[in-house]
Amino acid sequence: DSIKSEKDEMSIEDRLSAMGITIPVAAAPAANYLPFARNGNLIFTAGQLPMKDGAMVATGLVGQDVDLETAQAAARQCAINILAQAKAAAGSLENIKSIVKISVFVASAPGFTGQHLVANGASNFLVEALGDAGKHARSAVGMAALPLNAAVEIEAIIEIAETSM
């Protein structure tokens, strides 16, 4: 219990640092849309691709070009990029009250039915990083293709503290 309570008392940034993760600068939109929209104390992110240091982490169809483990890592990177957008929108990750819902889109080969397993890469990361605030509702769906041949794309609805408005 003492280890758990110590972890719970860490800031989100400290917890991410302990996980070896640095939140990148939020990506600018690639076309005529907003990277996030706010409505009251909710943030709606645009779809986040698995980009890291300017490169796509995984491309192609999961179950054909991309294996499950690589797709889960891509979903995790999408979730890291979601936190970058949340930080840009709320000013600090500490202002996140909860991840309300994520929608996970998986570029899937015909017959691939493990979209929920791919989504676990993002879900597990969000809970590890945010604790109870990272628990969320979720959809995971297969797609024929995604922008820039990305293997995964994720969008989120995030509740932030009213003081961060």
Side-chain angles (χ1 to χ4, degrees), residues 36-104:
F36 60 83
R38 287 180 63 168
N39 185 339
N41 63 339
L42 295 178
I43 297 167
F44 298 79
T45 71
Q48 299 297 301
L49 299 177
M51 299 289 287
K52 182 176 183 179
D53 301 325
M56 197 76 66
V57 170
T59 58
L61 299 177
V62 180
Q64 176 179 301
D65 311 310
V66 179
D67 65 21
L68 178 60
E69 185 176 304
T70 302
Q72 289 173 327
R76 177 182 168 102
Q77 187 61 47
C78 291
I80 291 168
N81 295 338
I82 283 167
L83 291 186
Q85 294 297 343
K87 184 175 180 179
S92 167
L93 294 177
E94 302 306 318
N95 290 326
I96 295 174
K97 285 182 71 175
S98 72
I99 305 295
V100 177
K101 182 177 182 188
I102 63 171
S103 297
V104 181

Side-chain angles (χ1 to χ4, degrees), residues 2-3 9 16 38 72 107 111 113 116 125 139 147-149 163 165:
S2 63
I3 293 172
E9 291 175 15
L16 288 166
R38 287 180 63 168
Q72 289 173 327
T113 59
H116 62 294
F125 166 76
S139 298
L148 305 176
N149 199 29
T163 57
M165 290 195 229

Side-chain angles (χ1 to χ4, degrees), residues 11-24:
S11 74
I12 295 168
E13 294 276 1
D14 288 345
R15 196 174 306 161
L16 288 166
S17 180
M19 294 165 63
I21 294 172
T22 302
I23 297 298

